């Protein structure tokens, strides 16, 4: 089966071509620079960019895969959750393409797709679900922080999510308070690598709470109060690196401890992680250390598959079609608030 997938839920326009579990191409047109001057994603600008970029990205993805539109057997797109108008571009493009080619079109939940990105290896790659094990999966991005028990392929239960800010949002907001550019996560990661994570003690919200939910708004507020008391600290290059390392350590600590605790409780053998924050070097290293200490195997999404991409949408779309999920009606609409718990499991 040759399947073309489109992802336009936020600020990356991505088109991938999947062939029987192999990613033949995965083109990503990032809008980060466009939104940088506004300090965050501007939905209207994102929508216009998707409209401008999706067709060139689709042409490039097909060319890289060595295929033509007539070779496609199916189309997939992110149906939700995400920015409404941004989603609309990708979903309607996919529906039009499927209608013109007279092939089935499948709508995919963006977060459910993140659950499968750690099982895609290499670029271009084989999605080797043969290696799949029941796992506890952490999805950490700018918009979401989710802990999920994936019991089998296409069978999962959401354990917890953030009660307020997402982990990536906490990185970005703390970075802004420190005077760093958007998106702050990657910049903090770089500065933190030269700083002392024990220099300043920031709170680890809900760390001792036995539940699986997260909360990061208090941590961000504590950074604000700290900087109000110590206004010139962020201007000192060494202190700035120590501050980045200390804030990062607090976020990473919470993510790692809660993920491992859930994995132990549910008696799984495998832990996985994906989403933009999974690019963070400290999170990757600390998860690896903790998993080794507690005897879990760890599957982290490849860096280019951590952030939003159409490869994961296509891999899951193809899996769903193969397992008999019906194609989407041509008049089906986007689902901007589609939660992972709502009707996506089996
Ligand atoms: O998954 P993603 O590309 O988009 C969504 O939010 O859906 O994630 C973007 C988030 C941003 O908050 C960004 O700051 C964060 O991921 N991020 C990082 C790193 N790379 C990206 N956070 C910490 N360290 C990084 N290296
Ligand atoms: Zn995402």
């Amino acid at each position: 089966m040759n399947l073309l997938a489109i992802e336009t839920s936020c600020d990356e326009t991505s088109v991938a071509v999947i062939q029987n579990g192999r990613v033949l191409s995965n083109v990503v047109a990032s809008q980060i620079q466009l939104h940088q001057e506004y300090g965050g994603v501007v939905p209207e600008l994102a929508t216009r960019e998707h409209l401008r970029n999706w067709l060139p990205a689709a042409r490039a993805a097909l060319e890289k895969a060595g295929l033509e539109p007539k070779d496609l057997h199916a189309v997939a797109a992110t149906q939700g959750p995400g920015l409404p108008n941004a989603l609309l571009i990708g979903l309607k493009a996919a529906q039009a393409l499927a209608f013109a080619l007279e092939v089935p079109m499948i709508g995919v939940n963006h977060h459910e797709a993140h659950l499968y990105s750690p099982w895609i290896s290499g670029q271009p790659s084989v999605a080797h679900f043969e290696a799949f094990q029941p796992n506890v999966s952490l999805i950490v991005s700018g918009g979401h922080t989710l802990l999920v028990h994936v019991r089998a392929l296409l069978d999962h239960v959401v354990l917890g999510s953030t009660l307020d800010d997402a982990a990536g949002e906490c990185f970005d907001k703390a970075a802004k308070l420190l005077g760093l550019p958007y998106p702050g996560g990657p910049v903090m990661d770089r500065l933190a690598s030269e700083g002392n994570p024990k220099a300043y003690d920031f709170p680890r919200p809900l760390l001792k709470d036995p539940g699986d939910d997260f909360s990061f708004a208090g941590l961000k507020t504590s950074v604000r109060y700290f900087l109000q008391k110590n206004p010139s600290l962020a201007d000192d290059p060494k202190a700035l690196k120590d501050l980045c390392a200390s804030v990062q350590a607090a976020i990473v600590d919470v993510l790692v401890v809660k993920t491992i605790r859930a994995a132990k409780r549910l008696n799984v053998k495998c832990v996985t992680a994906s989403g933009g924050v999974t690019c963070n070097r400290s999170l990757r290293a600390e998860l690896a250390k903790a998993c080794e200490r507690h005897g879990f195997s760890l599957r982290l999404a490849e860096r280019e598959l951590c952030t939003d991409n159409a490869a994961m949408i296509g891999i899951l779309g193809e899996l769903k079609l193969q397992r008999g999920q019906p194609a989407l009606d041509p008049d089906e609409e986007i689902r901007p608030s589609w939660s992972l718990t709502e009707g996506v499991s089996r």
Side-chain angles (χ1 to χ4, degrees):
M1 180 194 286
N2 297 325
L3 177 147
L4 182 136
I6 307 177
E7 150 66 33
T8 59
S9 65
C10 189
D11 59 344
E12 324 273 11
T13 315
S14 181
V15 181
V17 176
I18 310 297
Q19 186 179 65
N20 303 326
R22 282 173 55 85
V23 181
L24 298 186
S25 60
N26 182 38
V27 174
V28 182
S30 177
Q31 304 176 9
I32 282 186
Q33 276 182 336
L34 175 74
H35 299 286
Q36 216 154 29
E37 68 175 288
Y38 303 98
V41 178
V42 183
E44 197 45 47
L45 290 184
T47 305
R48 269 188 255 163
E49 279 307 285
H50 288 312
L51 198 52
R52 218 191 314 264
N53 291 339
W54 87 265
L55 193 52
R59 288 199 175 110
L62 280 168
E63 193 185 326
K64 208 165 166 204
L67 297 178
E68 291 181 30
K70 65 172 174 47
D71 301 322
L72 295 172
H73 304 110
V75 182
T78 308
Q79 194 177 359
L83 300 171
N85 289 341
L87 287 169
L88 206 54
I89 304 296
L91 191 83
K92 291 297 155 190
Q95 283 172 324
L97 191 59
F99 178 77
L101 296 172
E102 296 184 37
V103 297
M105 187 272 159
I106 191 137
V108 171
N109 179 293
H110 179 90
H111 290 145
E112 193 181 12
H114 269 303
L115 296 177
Y116 294 91
S117 57
W119 302 94
I120 306 172
S121 69
Q123 243 344 298
S125 62
V126 177
H128 46 103
F129 290 127
E130 312 87 64
F132 178 89
Q133 299 163 40
N135 62 74
V136 162
S137 187
L138 179 68
I139 305 177
V140 266
S141 72
H144 298 274
T145 304
L146 287 164
L147 202 54
V148 186
H149 181 198
V150 189
R151 298 183 295 200
L153 285 177
L154 305 184
D155 176 7
H156 62 257
V157 174
V158 175
L159 302 169
S161 62
T162 183
L163 303 175
D164 39 56
D165 290 354
E169 200 177 351
C170 185
F171 267 110
D172 295 342
K173 287 179 174 171
K176 194 171 179 185
L177 292 169
L178 292 169
L180 302 173
Y182 174 86
V187 188
M188 280 190 87
D189 184 351
R190 204 173 56 244
L191 291 172
S193 68
E194 294 170 23
N196 174 8
K198 297 203 167 102
Y200 305 101
D201 189 20
F202 288 108
R204 271 83 171 143
L206 296 187
L207 187 70
K208 299 218 165 77
D209 182 285
D212 294 318
D213 285 330
F214 298 90
S215 164
F216 290 104
L219 170 54
K220 168 203 65 192
T221 308
S222 79
V223 174
R224 172 175 289 128
Y225 288 152
F226 180 87
L227 290 171
Q228 277 168 5
K229 277 196 209 138
N230 306 275
S232 56
L233 215 52
D235 298 332
D236 172 54
K238 166 144 185 2
L240 179 63
K241 288 174 185 168
D242 288 346
L243 279 164
C244 286
S246 302
V247 173
Q248 177 178 276
I251 299 172
V252 167
D253 236 16
V254 174
L255 295 174
V256 172
V257 168
K258 298 203 100 163
T259 303
I260 297 293
R261 194 187 288 154
K264 275 183 172 168
R265 188 182 77 241
L266 293 160
N267 206 19
V268 296
K269 297 201 166 48
C270 180
V271 166
T272 79
S274 68
V277 177
T278 310
C279 291
N280 184 271
R281 286 172 290 177
S282 172
L283 178 61
R284 294 178 88 87
E286 294 304 320
L287 267 177
K289 269 195 249 168
C291 282
E292 196 179 343
R293 200 175 325 123
H294 294 279
F296 297 118
S297 67
L298 175 67
R299 290 194 81 101
L300 297 169
E302 307 249 333
R303 264 165 221 279
E304 64 271 28
L305 296 174
C306 281
T307 46
D308 292 346
N309 65 85
M312 66 181 189
I313 304 297
I315 286 288
L316 179 58
E318 188 188 55
L319 187 66
K320 290 200 165 222
L321 277 174
Q322 285 165 346
R323 303 268 169 134
Q325 178 163 316
L328 209 61
D329 282 342
D331 56 354
E332 271 269 1
E333 289 303 337
I334 51 165
R335 302 178 68 178
S337 315
W338 193 3
S339 104
L340 192 53
T341 44
E342 203 186 302
V344 279
S345 154
R346 250 214 273 259

